[in-house]
């Protein structure tokens, strides 16, 4: 099994078109593929436990947003976040620091998450801190520019 995560910064117009069409077009402002397989564990870290449904708080950066029903369904499908939601999530991410991510990683139960054994991960915490920084910085840039976001969980 392989899992992947892609983030795109998209313009407000592209966001509106995606919501109307139910699928994301090819236009985007920037793309980030560097989080990769860390997204499942990172979502749990950002949620400070199991990811709630509906997704709330900073976990929305990874697993939140509006699902585009006509796009690639895969694990979680393609999701879009409005410019207003991007600003809100970016602020929540900026309130977290590396120590928060490290502490949560060391104390959370990861049962059922990708790569966990007996609820524990053996990958170095630095991988998840780096993934957090990628997500935080990408959202911060989108919020500053007034962009929307799209994420794909595959």
């Amino acid at each position: 099994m392989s899992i992947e995560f892609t983030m795109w910064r998209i313009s407000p117009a592209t966001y509106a078109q995606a919501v109307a069409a139910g699928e994301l077009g090819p236009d985007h402002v920037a793309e980030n593929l560097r989080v990769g397989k860390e997204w499942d564990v990172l979502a749990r870290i950002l949620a400070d436990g199991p990811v709630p449904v509906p997704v709330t708080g900073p976990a929305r950066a990874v697993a939140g947003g509006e699902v585009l029903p006509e796009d690639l369904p895969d694990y979680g499908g393609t999701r879009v976040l409005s410019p207003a939601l991007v600003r809100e999530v970016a602020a929540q991410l900026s309130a977290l620091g590396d120590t928060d991510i490290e502490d949560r990683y060391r104390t959370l139960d990861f049962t059922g998450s990708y790569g966990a054994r007996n609820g524990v991960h053996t990958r170095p915490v630095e991988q998840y801190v780096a993934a957090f920084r990628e997500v935080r910085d990408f959202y911060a840039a989108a919020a500053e520019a007034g962009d929307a976001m799209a994420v794909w969980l595959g």
Side-chain angles (χ1 to χ4, degrees):
M1 176 176 153
S2 179
I3 65 173
E4 295 296 331
F5 176 72
T6 303
M7 296 183 288
W8 295 279
R9 286 177 44 199
I10 58 175
S11 72
T14 299
Y15 166 79
Q17 290 169 349
V19 170
E23 63 184 343
L24 186 64
D27 297 331
H28 57 270
V29 175
E31 178 180 68
N32 185 311
L33 303 165
R34 292 183 293 272
V35 173
K37 295 177 180 11
E38 285 75 31
W39 75 261
D40 183 31
V41 171
L42 182 61
R44 292 168 193 245
I45 291 170
L46 293 173
D48 202 11
V51 177
V53 177
V55 184
T56 59
R60 293 178 296 178
V62 175
E66 183 177 344
V67 176
L68 297 177
E70 302 300 321
D71 218 296
L72 304 170
D74 219 336
Y75 185 80
T78 302
R79 299 163 183 265
V80 291
L81 294 88
S82 70
L85 184 54
V86 168
R87 287 189 301 276
E88 184 179 326
V89 171
Q92 292 170 336
L93 292 170
S94 73
L96 296 172
D98 293 356
T99 303
D100 297 307
I101 303 305
E102 292 168 359
D103 290 347
R104 291 175 183 189
Y105 177 81
R106 290 187 177 101
T107 59
L108 289 175
D109 179 355
F110 292 106
T111 299
S113 69
Y114 184 78
R117 291 204 173 102
N118 299 320
V120 177
H121 265 275
T122 57
R123 292 188 180 134
V125 68
E126 293 81 16
Q127 281 184 251
Y128 300 101
V129 170
F132 162 70
R133 289 176 183 161
E134 286 288 337
V135 170
R136 180 195 60 205
D137 295 349
F138 206 71
Y139 269 82
E144 185 176 324
D147 290 333
M149 289 280 299
V151 297
W152 178 69
L153 310 174

